[in-house]
Amino acid sequence: MSIEPASAKDMSELTRRIAAYNAERPGVIALRDNNRQQLLKKLMPYAALVVIAAVAAAFLAHWLVAVAVAVLGGGALIAAWLWQSVDADAPADALNERMRSEVLPAIFHDIDDFNFEANVYGFLDEIPGAIMPAYDKGEWGDLIEGSYRGRDFAINELHLIAEERSAANTSNTGAATRNVTRFKGVAIQARLARKVPETLILRKGRAAAARWIAKKLGAALKEPHVETGDSEFDRRHEVHCRDEKYARAVFSADGIKRFHAMQQQYSTGDFQFVARKRTLTMMIEQSHDFFEIPPIEHPFDEARDVPRLREEIEGFLALLAEMDRLLDVKAPE
């Protein structure tokens, strides 16, 4: 499935927007660099105070005290730099997002009702709990929405994080010991070509004991667990469906082979989905950031960057077509 070439008029408008962006870049880079220089000058006196305090501590107290002063003071300066550099870099970030909001609709011209938003929560609340990991906080990425040849779809980049606390911290208060990534990749919601006969769930495999405990606690899925007969596949994945024959038809030997090919091509980790009626929701672990334009230090190259962005959206459309073929099977009588 590929997007049709843009018309000459569309390409002319795209070229104009790219040229305008590349012409604006040097001034914005200069403004950003000046903002950073001013921020550095602002923080230099505080850095000098940290050095003086550390030296004084070494002479008047102990070298360990000096190290502590240097570490704490240096850490505070780094935090201040990172915090205030957000404002310093704001003009460059704003130009980047404005460019993407202008150029992406022109590149994806065949997509109806196209919408692009950066750093947005998206459709997180609509993701079925069966494939939604527990998390404490998230970082929201790009959201792409639209309709292609009658198929509505939405693509949202997500980074979901859980805060793990120490075993001694039984009150669940205080600072977390570390942040653990529960999911990083893309969530995709799309309309299927055909309605599935029963809700079909594919999620990460769990140990039999974990499934037994969940069942005893009333936390098990309503859809029964289905063994496909492929021991390696069943170890790594869980299939749930009320229609056992349909589930096994989807994940036949050929279906498993097809799914593995999709997982290798489109994911760098786990690939989970829920198909319910005509709605498909996928959670695909992926380390790549999609729909990005070059850093502001580099010009937007129409000959290089436009095809790259088109390939990314075409890849997602091809995945949806592959999922249609995977799910469009008939259970044996």
Side-chain angles (χ1 to χ4, degrees):
M1 185 181 296
S2 60
I3 297 177
E4 298 175 3
S7 67
K9 180 179 179 181
D10 289 336
M11 289 303 299
S12 176
E13 177 62 16
L14 178 60
T15 299
R16 184 193 66 78
R17 291 180 179 180
I18 292 172
Y21 166 77
N22 286 334
E24 191 174 351
R25 281 178 44 259
V28 174
I29 292 173
L31 176 60
R32 182 202 60 186
D33 292 346
N34 180 68
N35 289 343
R36 289 180 175 179
Q37 290 175 5
Q38 295 303 316
L39 176 58
L40 186 61
K41 290 179 180 178
K42 179 181 176 181
L43 294 178
M44 283 299 292
Y46 297 100
L49 287 176
V50 170
V51 172
I52 293 170
V55 172
F59 280 100
L60 301 177
H62 192 276
W63 68 270
L64 288 175
V65 178
V67 171
V69 170
V71 170
L72 292 174
L77 286 170
I78 291 173
W81 170 267
L82 293 175
W83 179 267
Q84 297 187 43
S85 64
V86 173
D87 292 334
D89 293 348
D93 293 339
L95 177 61
N96 179 289
E97 296 310 324
R98 178 161 58 84
M99 174 60 175
R100 287 204 292 168
S101 66
E102 290 180 354
V103 76
L104 291 182
I107 293 175
F108 307 146
H109 56 90
D110 262 10
I111 296 177
D112 297 325
D113 303 320
F114 180 85
N115 177 55
F116 163 77
E117 296 179 68
N119 307 319
V120 66
Y121 187 87
F123 54 88
L124 192 69
D125 294 336
E126 300 175 29
I127 297 175
I131 59 173
M132 186 68 183
Y135 73 98
D136 296 303
K137 57 185 178 181
E139 298 172 358
W140 321 119
D142 297 334
L143 172 69
I144 294 281
E145 297 174 300
S147 177
Y148 184 70
R149 297 180 180 175
R151 177 196 290 275
D152 295 332
F153 68 89
I155 304 166
N156 200 182
E157 293 180 313
L158 301 173
H159 184 194
L160 305 179
I161 301 165
E163 295 180 341
E164 287 195 350
R165 304 179 185 277
S166 64
N169 191 356
T170 55
S171 64
N172 203 37
T173 59
T177 56
R178 60 173 181 159
N179 290 332
V180 179
T181 294
R182 293 300 186 207
F183 176 83
K184 187 177 190 303
V186 290
I188 303 174
Q189 192 174 73
R191 181 175 173 81
L192 287 166
R194 293 178 180 82
K195 178 182 177 182
V196 294
E198 287 285 351
T199 297
L200 178 65
I201 299 167
L202 179 80
R203 66 178 186 174
K204 289 189 291 186
R206 298 177 300 163
R211 293 197 298 269
W212 181 83
I213 292 172
K215 185 175 181 180
K216 291 298 182 183
L217 294 176
L221 298 179
K222 295 179 181 179
E223 291 78 11
H225 179 231
V226 178
E227 297 280 352
T228 67
D230 184 313
S231 58
E232 179 61 20
F233 184 84
D234 290 335
R235 183 183 67 82
R236 298 177 60 186
H237 307 278
E238 280 185 32
V239 178
H240 291 262
C241 187
R242 294 185 185 277
D243 189 336
E244 181 176 329
K245 291 182 179 180
Y246 171 67
R248 289 186 173 179
V250 170
F251 292 107
S252 63
D254 288 341
I256 289 174
K257 183 178 179 180
R258 175 173 287 170
F259 176 78
H260 279 157
M262 285 190 288
Q263 186 173 25
Q264 290 176 3
Q265 182 175 357
Y266 298 105
S267 175
T268 56
D270 290 311
F271 185 134
Q272 305 180 90
F273 71 81
V274 174
R276 179 176 293 131
K277 295 182 179 179
R278 290 195 65 176
T279 298
L280 173 67
T281 307
M282 295 181 281
M283 294 282 281
I284 302 174
E285 290 186 346
Q286 179 59 253
S287 57
H288 179 72
D289 290 331
F290 295 93
F291 313 122
E292 297 294 327
I293 66 173
I296 194 170
E297 291 81 7
H298 303 283
F300 191 101
D301 187 331
E302 183 173 355
R304 178 192 63 212
D305 295 314
V306 169
R308 172 180 57 81
L309 290 165
R310 281 181 174 156
E311 286 176 4
E312 290 183 354
I313 198 67
E314 287 176 1
F316 285 111
L317 295 174
L319 171 60
L320 297 181
E322 286 289 332
M323 287 298 297
D324 275 337
R325 286 190 284 271
L326 176 71
L327 297 171
D328 188 20
V329 295
K330 291 184 179 180
E333 296 294 335

